[in-house]
């Protein structure tokens, strides 16, 4: 057996060690804000790891979702909660030792079981020899999409993706139902917070110049997903992040004046409807649900190109929903549900 | 010595995933603070994702975006591209993960509002009253 020098295993091991350290730090720290930041660092490190394993689409998503949006909603929740937190808690008692022993036994058994797994990065492993060569070898001729990940995501496994989008949509609704409250009992508490009227001139100037670029980049990522890493999920998250940046640099109201809450809700539902509507259109034209080939006659292109256009259309649906859901999650979580004043 | 070296090189990614998995699980069980439990859940989840993407890695392979030869024909040697299937599954799992995180944090804020604390023992005390 040989190993390829270009694999840079030293680099890998360094990143993995740093990830373990970050994970332990995030769990061991007492402060909520510092834990949230450590989790963000952990996300950036795993993002490097994924780039190194050539999963660029995954790394892109992780950088936008895991490192940016997750950290922001963690921070939003932490600052909302830490206003009530008591500082002088007794040291934690518990079942630490017993849990540690059991966890270490289970981990040891799983580590022993890795001997039966194929070697890491083995080109002849079962996972890489059965189904996936088919996608790589035929994907281009069936969908005219060089990015195999996009083709599999939005065409071969489009049912999967559609219901993932539905899950994301449902999560936004759940957060809204859980947090929205109209009683005045809590509002009093919230108004104790000093209104933030600082003059963050540098921050606001920077935001003003970066937000249009972010939005154009988001659209580029969405529409160029056939040829480069990217697609609906990444583009949607980046577009949503531009509104979150606006809210962070000015305040929640400022952002909400530009992207009102009912517009957010319409976008949440609209993206899912667009996705499902394309599926239904294919069904009504006599093909399977989400069989984009049915659109060929209507669009006046070949079946292969119709599948390519179908992928783009559902990616736009995904992008709209994901963008609105990210904004909605931020609005609700950062303000504690009353949409008055956020992080 | 070489055998041991190759053994480590061939498996270290899986080991890291398992270690992270149990760090997350341990944090979820042991920490009293519900926010720390959620962070444990996030680490647990990314460990599983790391494991699945590791399965799709190939030695000497590049990103799963087709290259074209000068005469505009795609180069279709499957061994030169990383396995795209785990990437697709993980990509959607990450976005669903942040949605789950949002719901968890919303529940956390609700618990804070109802019980006035997010420490597990204090919540249990408050519920017994």
């Amino acid at each position: 057996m040989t190993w390829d020098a270009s694999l840079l295993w030293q680099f890998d091991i360094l990143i993995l060690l740093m990830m373990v350290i970050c994970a332990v730090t995030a769990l061991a720290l007492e402060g909520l804000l510092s834990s949230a930041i450590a989790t963000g660092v952990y996300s950036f490190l795993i993002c490097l790891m994924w780039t190194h394993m050539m999963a660029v689409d995954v790394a892109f998503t992780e950088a936008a979702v895991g490192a940016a949006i997750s950290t922001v909603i963690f921070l939003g929740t932490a600052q909302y909660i830490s206003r009530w937190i008591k500082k002088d808690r007794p040291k934690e008692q518990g079942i630490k030792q017993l849990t540690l022993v059991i966890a270490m036994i289970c981990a040891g058994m799983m580590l022993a079981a890795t001997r039966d797994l194929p070697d890491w990065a083995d080109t002849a492993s079962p996972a890489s020899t059965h189904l996936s060569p088919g996608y790589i070898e035929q994907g281009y001729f069936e969908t005219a999409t060089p990015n195999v990940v996009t083709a599999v995501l939005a065409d071969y496994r489009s049912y999967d993706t559609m219901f993932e989008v539905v899950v994301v949509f449902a999560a936004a609704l759940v957060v809204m139902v859980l947090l929205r409250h109209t009683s005045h009992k809590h509002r009093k508490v919230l108004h104790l917070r000093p209104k933030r009227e600082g003059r963050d001139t540098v921050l606001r100037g920077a935001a003003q110049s970066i937000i249009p670029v972010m939005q154009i980049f988001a659209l580029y990522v969405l529409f160029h997903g056939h040829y480069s890493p990217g697609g609906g999920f990444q583009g949607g998250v980046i577009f949503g992040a531009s509104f979150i940046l606006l809210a962070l640099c000015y305040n929640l109201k400022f952002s909400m004046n530009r992207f009102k809450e009912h517009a957010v809700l319409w976008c949440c539902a609209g993206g899912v409807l667009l996705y499902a509507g394309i599926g239904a259109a294919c069904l009504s034209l006599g093909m399977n649900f989400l069989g984009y080939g049915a659109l060929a006659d209507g669009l006046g292109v070949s079946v292969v190109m119709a599948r390519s256009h179908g992928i783009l259309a559902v990616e736009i649906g995904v992008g709209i929903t994901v963008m609105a859901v990210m904004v909605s999650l931020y609005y609700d979580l950062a303000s504690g549900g009353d949409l008055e004043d956020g992080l | 010595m070489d055998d041991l070296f190759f053994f480590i090189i061939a498996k270290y990614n899986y080991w890291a995933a398992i270690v992270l998995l149990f760090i997350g699980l341990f944090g979820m069980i042991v920490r009293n603070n519900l926010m720390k439990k959620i962070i444990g859940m996030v680490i647990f989840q990314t460990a599983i994702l790391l494991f699945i993407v590791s399965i799709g890695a190939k030695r000497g392979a590049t990103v799963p975006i087709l290259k074209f030869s000068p005469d505009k024909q795609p180069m279709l040697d499957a061994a030169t591209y990383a396995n795209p299937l785990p990437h697709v599954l993980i990509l959607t799992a990450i976005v669903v993960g942040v949605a789950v995180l949002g719901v968890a944090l919303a529940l956390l804020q609700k618990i804070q509002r109802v019980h006035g604390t997010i420490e597990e023992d204090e919540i249990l005390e408050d519920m017994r009253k």
Side-chain angles (χ1 to χ4, degrees):
Chain A
M1 185 187 145
T2 58
W3 96 96
D4 192 336
S6 70
L7 259 176
L8 282 175
W9 54 273
Q10 299 93 334
F11 181 70
D12 262 6
I13 289 177
L14 186 68
I15 293 176
L16 289 169
L17 271 179
M18 278 158 66
M19 274 171 62
V20 170
I21 292 168
C22 275
V24 173
T25 312
L27 288 168
L29 283 172
E30 288 301 323
L32 297 183
L33 286 173
S34 37
S35 285
I37 296 293
T39 317
V41 175
Y42 174 84
S43 277
F44 271 120
L45 290 170
I46 201 164
C47 181
L48 279 179
M49 198 61 219
W50 276 328
T51 318
H52 195 229
M53 284 196 274
M54 297 302 163
V56 276
D57 285 271
V58 181
F60 203 162
T61 317
E62 178 73 33
V65 174
I69 306 276
S70 293
T71 309
V72 168
I73 62 176
F74 258 128
L75 289 177
T77 307
Q79 61 90 37
Y80 179 82
I81 280 170
S82 57
R83 280 177 286 142
W84 283 292
I85 244 159
K86 287 188 257 12
K87 289 279 177 265
D88 50 339
R89 266 187 55 78
K91 224 31 185 163
E92 279 175 19
Q93 309 288 320
I95 44 170
K96 258 185 192 164
Q97 282 80 15
L98 181 63
T99 320
L100 187 63
V101 170
I102 293 174
M104 281 173 83
I105 291 172
C106 295
M109 291 195 302
M110 281 179 76
L111 287 173
T114 55
R115 292 203 316 175
D116 297 336
L117 285 168
D119 287 348
W120 184 63
D122 185 2
T123 37
S125 72
S128 302
T129 46
H130 291 281
L131 186 59
S132 77
Y135 288 137
I136 293 167
E137 283 156 11
Q138 291 155 31
Y140 184 72
F141 301 109
E142 288 176 356
T143 62
T145 305
N147 185 351
V148 187
V149 174
T150 303
V152 178
L153 179 87
D155 192 319
Y156 296 103
R157 297 188 64 88
S158 51
Y159 272 58
D160 194 348
T161 309
M162 191 179 102
F163 287 106
E164 305 260 14
V165 174
V166 173
V167 168
V168 171
F169 169 66
L173 290 189
V174 170
V175 170
M176 198 167 288
V177 169
L178 277 174
L179 285 182
R180 191 57 48 83
H181 55 85
T182 46
S183 81
H184 293 276
K185 202 176 103 199
H186 304 293
R187 204 153 271 184
K188 239 184 268 167
V189 183
L190 287 168
H191 279 190
L192 286 178
R193 216 159 8 142
K195 282 269 178 224
R196 214 180 40 161
E197 295 293 349
R199 299 195 188 109
D200 312 327
T201 316
V202 175
L203 202 59
R204 291 179 181 187
Q208 272 175 2
S209 49
I210 209 169
I211 284 171
V213 182
M214 267 175 87
Q215 295 185 338
I216 292 170
F217 181 63
L219 292 176
Y220 165 78
V221 167
L222 202 165
F223 287 102
H224 210 254
H226 286 48
Y227 306 99
S228 64
F233 283 106
Q234 294 92 333
V237 172
I238 295 172
F239 211 96
S242 72
F243 288 104
I244 294 176
L245 182 64
L246 201 62
L248 285 173
C249 293
Y250 290 79
N251 52 48
L252 195 64
K253 282 278 175 225
F254 190 83
S255 181
M256 288 189 71
N257 282 337
R258 272 152 188 78
F259 197 22
K260 295 209 167 48
E261 208 206 2
H262 63 260
V264 174
L265 285 177
W266 276 109
C267 286
C268 278
V272 178
L273 277 177
L274 177 61
Y275 201 138
I278 288 169
C282 298
L283 197 64
S284 67
L285 289 167
M287 291 265 286
N288 290 327
F289 189 72
L290 291 168
Y292 309 130
L295 304 171
D297 289 339
L299 295 169
V301 291
S302 67
V303 171
V304 174
M305 278 317 285
R307 288 179 77 166
S308 176
H309 294 328
I311 290 174
L312 180 62
V314 300
E315 289 267 28
I316 292 170
V318 171
I320 292 172
T321 297
V322 169
M323 179 263 292
V325 167
M326 293 302 146
V327 173
S328 166
L329 283 182
Y330 175 78
Y331 283 177
D332 285 325
L333 287 168
S335 68
D338 68 348
L339 305 179
E340 285 291 316
D341 187 20
L343 184 63
Chain B
M1 192 61 212
D2 262 11
D3 285 351
L4 182 67
F5 175 72
F6 284 129
F7 182 65
I8 293 171
I9 291 297
K11 307 287 185 196
Y12 65 86
N13 245 35
Y14 302 134
W15 295 345
I18 291 167
V19 168
L20 287 170
L21 193 86
F22 280 94
I23 289 173
L25 187 67
F26 184 65
M28 263 199 288
I29 296 171
V30 165
R31 291 312 304 251
N32 233 328
N33 188 308
L34 294 184
M35 184 99 159
K36 299 292 159 53
K37 282 189 196 287
I38 293 174
I39 290 176
M41 186 189 78
V42 170
I43 292 167
F44 189 92
Q45 189 184 354
T46 44
I48 295 168
L49 305 186
L50 178 65
F51 180 74
I52 297 178
V53 175
S54 297
I55 287 174
K58 286 183 200 167
R59 186 172 287 105
T62 181
V63 295
I65 298 171
L66 298 181
K67 283 183 284 192
F68 288 85
S69 56
D71 54 339
K72 302 275 195 272
Q73 286 305 304
M75 304 209 267
L76 293 172
D77 183 9
T80 59
Y81 301 106
N83 188 345
L85 196 54
H87 299 186
V88 174
L89 302 178
I90 297 318
L91 197 160
T92 48
I94 290 173
V95 179
V96 170
V98 78
V100 170
L101 176 67
V103 173
L105 290 175
L107 282 170
L108 189 69
Q109 294 193 7
K110 194 82 184 173
I111 289 169
Q112 164 76 55
R113 239 184 252 157
V114 173
H115 295 289
T117 174
I118 53 164
E119 304 288 340
E120 198 185 4
D121 50 347
E122 291 173 12
I123 293 167
L124 288 173
E125 249 172 56
D126 192 51
M127 285 165 79
R128 283 199 201 95
K129 273 179 200 164

